């Protein structure tokens, strides 16, 4: 089974632990846009991504969003199994950003193994530490970085993920990633366009001068808002 | 030794693990204001607080601060031993907010025990999850909550920690907790004062109408900035 090659610390589990996982793991394919886990619902389980892309975000009471991290091939999603750890007191939504193939390990199975296996528990520690680093990076962005730089950063990151300068993304979606309003993003992108860095059309942002965008990111944009 | 009663999961460690900890733990008393751990320095070790109060904060390149969490009696500080976990890619500063008595467990000792002991590793997981929840709370505050509410929240929290309505704190210190500028805090506090909720004097904020402050926090302040 393919799964065994994707699951970390597999070789450090006992045969009994391995068979408990193999006996309970489920394979699932989800379409882009599917909400796989919604904070307020039941414990979905640990997600292991075979291929695809997931986004974890939080929601305000008014329905505003901000992306807290993204997961790619071979990544494992811990917070969809947050019921495993009683100290987790927050809710995230996990959504497929692309068609995604994944495995789901039931929370109680993983929890049981973690309780008896130091390697599994330590791996989980590293996993949480990695997400913690993502979130600390986000705080620094929000606190100390102006929005123009965050938008430029996001566009360049998207281009790198998609391996394309033609980004099929709406202003609304960018706003939801960055935790701001669509109008603010539209104004910012129009400024970028007026500076020749991007070209806008419906549902599309094309990076026309990546170097200039990088330069502006490093050296600072003129204040535009 | 008192330490044994403070250290969590002590009973779940083997005698050999217990003696490794007892043979390496150091006791230390630090004065209010001491920086115990500075992100860029060496790995300080795991801190276990006997009594006192610590503050963990991050610094911007320009020297601005924001408090990410605080620790009290019996709390354990993990990020002063962040070298234990290679996935931790951020730096925090740990400072004593009050005179503090604590124990320091060397990082390599704790790491070694965590690697062989599932209970120790799982406890560390819960510890990190608790700090993760603090940080997620902070993101929600920064993103969705206006600064007037954050200031009111902070004053009420301080009053609860200090068990006093007379808070010996400067506007600068409040700004450093909340990641903003002193001038902004001064303006906000003057508005609170004009509304009869606080009384200001040098280095002192006295809460004069706690109920009104709570009410404003719940129902919203007039926009003041």
């Amino acid at each position: 089974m393919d799964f065994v090659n994707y699951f970390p610390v597999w070789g450090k589990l006992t045969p009994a632990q391995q068979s408990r996982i193999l006996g309970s793991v489920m394979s699932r394919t989800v379409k882009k846009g599917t909400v796989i886990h919604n904070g307020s619902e039941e414990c979905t389980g640990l997600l292991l991504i075979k291929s695809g892309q997931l986004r974890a975000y939080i929601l305000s009471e008014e329905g505003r969003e901000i992306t807290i991290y993204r997961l790619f091939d071979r990544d494992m999603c811990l917070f969809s199994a947050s019921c495993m750890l009683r100290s987790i007191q927050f809710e995230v939504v996990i959504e497929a950003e692309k068609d995604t193939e994944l495995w789901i390990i039931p929370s109680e199975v993983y929890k049981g193994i973690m309780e008896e296996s130091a390697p599994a528990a330590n791996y989980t520690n590293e996993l949480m530490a990695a997400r913690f680093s993502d979130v600390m990076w986000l705080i620094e962005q929000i606190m100390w970085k102006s929005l123009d730089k965050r938008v430029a950063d996001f566009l360049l990151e998207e281009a790198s993920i998609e391996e394309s300068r033609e980004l099929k993304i709406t202003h609304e979606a960018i706003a939801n990633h960055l935790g701001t309003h669509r109008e603010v993003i539209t104004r910012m992108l129009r400024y970028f366009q007026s500076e020749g860095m991007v070209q806008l059309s419906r549902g599309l942002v094309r990076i026309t001068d990546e170097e200039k965008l990088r330069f502006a990111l490093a050296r600072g944009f003129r204040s535009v808002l």
Side-chain angles (χ1 to χ4, degrees), chain A:
Chain A
M1 193 186 182
D2 219 6
F3 171 75
V4 169
N5 301 317
Y6 279 76
F7 190 85
V9 299
W10 186 257
K12 291 182 181 167
L13 300 180
T14 65
Q17 290 162 349
Q18 292 180 343
S19 73
R20 254 191 289 163
I21 293 182
L22 287 180
S24 62
V25 65
M26 292 163 289
S27 173
R28 200 172 149 195
T29 305
V30 291
K31 285 276 161 212
K32 177 179 171 172
T34 310
V35 170
I36 302 171
H37 173 79
N38 189 329
S40 56
E41 283 173 25
E42 278 299 284
C43 217
T44 309
L46 217 74
L47 309 177
L48 175 56
I49 304 179
K50 186 177 179 183
S51 66
Q53 188 173 319
L54 304 183
R55 172 170 91 97
Y57 62 93
I58 53 172
L59 269 173
S60 75
E61 282 168 24
E62 291 80 29
R64 284 172 68 196
E65 300 177 3
I66 183 166
T67 299
I68 57 168
Y69 54 83
R70 295 159 117 182
L71 299 171
F72 304 92
D73 298 5
R74 293 192 170 267
D75 277 339
M76 214 181 215
C77 182
L78 187 61
F79 294 124
S80 50
S82 59
C83 58
M84 285 188 337
L85 291 157
R86 68 170 186 285
S87 308
I88 293 183
Q89 302 290 342
F90 56 91
E91 301 193 331
V92 296
V93 186
I94 316 278
E95 182 191 77
E97 275 197 307
K98 294 185 177 170
D99 293 352
T100 299
E101 281 188 84
L102 49 80
W103 289 286
I104 304 176
I105 303 159
S107 308
E108 65 279 9
V109 171
Y110 192 83
K111 185 182 196 311
I113 286 167
M114 206 167 70
E115 273 165 7
E116 52 185 58
S117 161
N122 280 295
Y123 173 74
T124 311
N125 257 326
E126 286 290 347
L127 209 57
M128 188 149 33
R131 293 299 82 75
F132 209 121
S133 299
D134 291 343
V135 167
M136 291 301 291
W137 179 87
L138 178 63
I139 290 189
E140 289 177 2
Q141 296 288 309
I142 301 169
M143 288 304 301
W144 325 126
K145 213 163 175 180
S146 57
L147 192 67
D148 49 4
K149 290 191 175 185
R150 291 180 61 211
V151 173
D153 228 2
F154 177 79
L155 294 178
L156 292 167
E157 193 200 342
E158 277 295 299
S160 149
I161 292 172
E162 300 299 331
E163 294 174 354
S164 165
R165 291 179 180 185
E166 200 130 307
L167 307 174
K168 290 194 192 80
I169 193 162
T170 62
H171 301 185
E172 176 90 36
I174 298 173
N176 286 342
H177 274 291
L178 302 179
T180 184
H181 296 285
R182 188 192 52 74
E183 297 74 11
V184 175
I185 296 297
T186 298
R187 211 183 326 171
M188 192 76 80
L189 289 174
R190 283 194 186 137
Y191 167 73
F192 287 4
Q193 181 169 253
S194 75
E195 292 289 314
M197 296 185 280
V198 303
Q199 197 173 39
L200 306 174
S201 50
R202 179 170 290 276
L204 208 77
V205 179
R206 198 154 66 82
I207 298 175
T208 45
D209 193 338
E210 189 174 324
E211 207 160 326
K212 190 169 177 186
L213 199 58
R214 278 191 200 285
F215 186 79
L217 180 61
R219 300 285 294 269
F221 294 82
R222 275 184 295 157
S223 172
V224 290
L225 286 177

